Amino acid sequence: MSKEIVQIFDTTLRDGEQVPGCKLDREQKLVIAERLDILGVNVIEAGFPVSSPGDFQSVEAIAKLVKNATVCGLTRAVKNDIKIAADALKYAKTPRIHTGIGTSDSHIKFKFNSNRDAIIERAVAAVSYAKTFVEDVEFYAEDAGRTDNEFLARVCEAVIKAGATVLNIPDTTGYCLPDEYGAKIKYLHENVKGIHNAILSCHCHNDLGLATANSIAGVVNGARQIECTINGIGERAGNTSLEEVVMIMRQHPNLNFDTTINSKLLYDTSLMVSRKMGMMVQPNKAIVGANAFAHSSGIHQDGVIKNRETYEIIDPADVGVTESSIVLTARSGRAALAYRAKIVGYELTKIQLDDVYQEFLRYADTKKEVKDDDIHQIIETSNIDLQSIS
Ligand code: KIV
Ligand code: ZN
């Protein structure tokens, strides 16, 4: 059975770039946008054009450059925002305006000092106005994660009638549990009239470390777009990580979903974004962290050397990592030492290995990691007869 394609909406250049210290100049944004297009994302959220002249110019330049993906600009439910976004997107092959408003009681009361009916009116007016410029209009119900489902369904129904093509259901504060977020999407899927005319989109934040799980729960329950960023960068604890959701769908064929992403470019893209933004990737980050395919304990190393699949569920080559690494530490066993010694030029017999291993342990206890140079030194200064090493 052919898999259903889930659209990947990348917001590295908008939600990701909002992070303090991650600001990019126009040239850097263009290089990243081009890479995202080659990576195979379906939508690039290029920025928030009304926010500054620089952002306007970047969105305009990205709209001119991008060949395949839809280029999207964010707005508030404010006429001038929408007009300026439409202007910035006018050169895009396929433009999308992303407009919206807060729908939770907290946003309605504290941000807008308004009421539910007035919020629906503003939402409809924004979508209708955006439709005068572009065909593809995405509506976001900010703080949908904490919005009452019945009211959220009313909002969605009204904006679909006004022409919204995509309904973004953001868990803006990263509060929802996966069951709860999945149930929200299911409720909308089953209760919003006209829902078959629009795509439900997951936009999850990672305040409780649940952004990826929530996005997958959303897709399982009827969403067909995930909004995410490279390396999961974004406001506060970040957004859903693109590489994680893509690889979850690849590694779990029973889910029956896939994306158009060329996963072999994931590692390089992660490095590129990390370097350009000056935002280091944590070493234990899933898929793209420096340790994602590194094995350091003796039991694991022995298994991986015998067969990679004993401790790896992803072939590193599938995400563009050249090979798994066997890192030597004081927790490593003989198999790992023999393996790395062979790589650096020493084929040890079992007796030689026993000798060198004792030296290795003494040395490793004083170090965090034993590198190739250290192996040379340990073997060269050991008592074994080097002539006999092949
Ligand atoms: O997190 C959020 O709610 C957002 C919207 C502006 C889409 O980023
Ligand atoms: Zn967001």
Side-chain angles (χ1 to χ4, degrees):
M1 200 161 86
S2 73
K3 297 202 161 82
E4 267 200 75
I5 295 294
V6 173
Q7 304 285 305
I8 293 294
F9 175 116
D10 181 279
T11 183
T12 305
L13 297 173
R14 200 277 297 169
D15 228 341
E17 209 244 359
Q18 285 174 209
V19 174
C22 283
K23 179 141 183 22
L24 301 166
D25 63 30
R26 188 167 0 137
E27 273 318 302
Q28 291 171 319
K29 285 187 191 175
L30 284 171
V31 174
I32 292 178
E34 194 167 35
R35 167 51 73 102
L36 293 172
D37 203 24
I38 294 168
L39 180 67
V41 309
N42 308 96
V43 185
I44 295 173
E45 186 161 53
F48 182 13
V50 81
S51 65
S52 73
D55 214 38
F56 178 94
Q57 286 156 11
S58 296
V59 174
E60 189 177 53
I62 291 169
K64 282 182 186 160
L65 175 83
V66 167
K67 292 192 174 67
N68 308 304
T70 291
V71 180
C72 174
L74 184 80
T75 82
R76 294 166 295 181
V78 170
K79 261 188 151 179
N80 189 48
D81 285 27
I82 295 169
K83 189 172 168 329
I84 287 180
D87 201 18
L89 292 167
K90 64 177 179 290
Y91 299 109
K93 287 196 182 68
T94 43
R96 175 182 295 179
I97 292 178
H98 188 192
T99 190
I101 194 161
T103 53
S104 64
D105 288 337
S106 146
H107 280 222
I108 294 174
K109 182 168 172 210
F110 299 116
K111 274 179 69 176
F112 304 114
N113 187 23
S114 187
N115 60 64
R116 288 182 168 186
D117 287 340
I119 290 294
I120 294 187
E121 259 177 52
R122 279 188 66 178
V124 167
V127 170
S128 306
Y129 187 57
K131 284 295 267 195
T132 65
F133 298 102
V134 294
E135 179 45 40
D136 192 4
V137 176
E138 172 165 342
F139 174 80
Y140 65 85
E142 196 181 9
D143 205 15
R146 294 187 300 171
T147 300
D148 159 59
N149 285 350
E150 261 179 57
F151 175 60
L152 191 56
R154 273 181 61 207
V155 177
C156 290
E157 220 164 282
V159 296
I160 289 175
K161 261 200 205 141
T165 47
V166 181
L167 299 175
N168 178 6
I169 310 300
D171 183 20
T172 305
T173 57
Y175 179 72
C176 288
L177 293 170
D179 279 359
E180 202 180 350
Y181 188 76
K184 190 175 281 290
I185 298 291
K186 187 171 182 342
Y187 180 85
L188 297 173
H189 200 240
E190 290 175 353
N191 291 284
V192 171
K193 273 199 217 93
I195 194 69
H196 52 276
N197 295 321
I199 291 176
L200 281 163
S201 180
C202 310
H203 178 116
C204 298
H205 280 266
N206 207 29
D207 299 67
L208 291 171
L210 291 170
T212 293
N214 284 346
S215 300
I216 296 295
V219 165
V220 167
N221 284 284
R224 289 295 176 268
Q225 177 177 279
I226 294 179
E227 310 199 0
C228 46
T229 59
I230 301 294
N231 301 333
I233 55 157
E235 288 272 354
R236 307 181 307 279
N239 287 58
T240 301
S241 150
L242 181 149
E243 54 280 2
E244 291 174 13
V245 289
V246 165
M247 291 315 291
I248 288 169
M249 288 186 259
R250 283 280 146 87
Q251 297 307 118
H252 284 273
N254 289 347
L255 288 176
N256 226 24
F257 295 118
D258 204 355
T259 67
T260 53
I261 298 296
N262 176 356
S263 66
K264 292 196 163 57
L265 298 178
L266 285 173
Y267 183 62
D268 268 4
T269 308
S270 157
L271 271 183
M272 175 205 257
V273 168
S274 160
R275 286 186 186 140
K276 295 224 176 293
M277 288 193 160
M279 182 87 158
M280 183 203 143
V281 176
Q282 71 191 62
N284 58 327
K285 166 83 180 61
I287 319 293
V288 292
N291 292 347
F293 299 98
H295 306 275
S296 60
S297 87
I299 296 171
H300 289 208
Q301 291 175 329
D302 183 50
V304 170
I305 290 166
K306 288 174 175 147
N307 184 324
R308 190 189 59 71
E309 288 180 16
T310 52
Y311 288 97
E312 278 182 1
I313 57 154
I314 299 172
D315 183 343
D318 288 347
V319 297
V321 174
T322 40
E323 58 179 11
S324 330
S325 54
I326 299 291
V327 180
L328 292 181
T329 69
R331 304 283 88 76
S332 299
R334 285 173 175 73
L337 176 59
Y339 174 83
R340 284 224 62 86
K342 188 171 174 192
I343 290 175
V344 298
Y346 306 97
E347 184 114 39
L348 302 170
T349 64
K350 190 176 172 313
I351 294 169
Q352 287 167 337
L353 180 62
D354 281 345
D355 274 359
V356 175
Y357 185 64
Q358 297 313 317
E359 277 307 306
F360 162 80
L361 283 183
R362 271 191 284 280
Y363 191 85
D365 264 337
T366 66
K367 296 262 180 179
K368 284 196 195 305
E369 190 183 329
V370 178
K371 307 272 196 194
D372 289 352
D373 278 356
D374 303 322
I375 299 177
H376 283 297
Q377 199 193 324
I378 294 166
I379 293 179
E380 301 290 330
T381 55
S382 69
N383 292 328
I384 61 173
D385 176 9
L386 284 172
Q387 303 297 328
S388 66
I389 298 178
S390 43

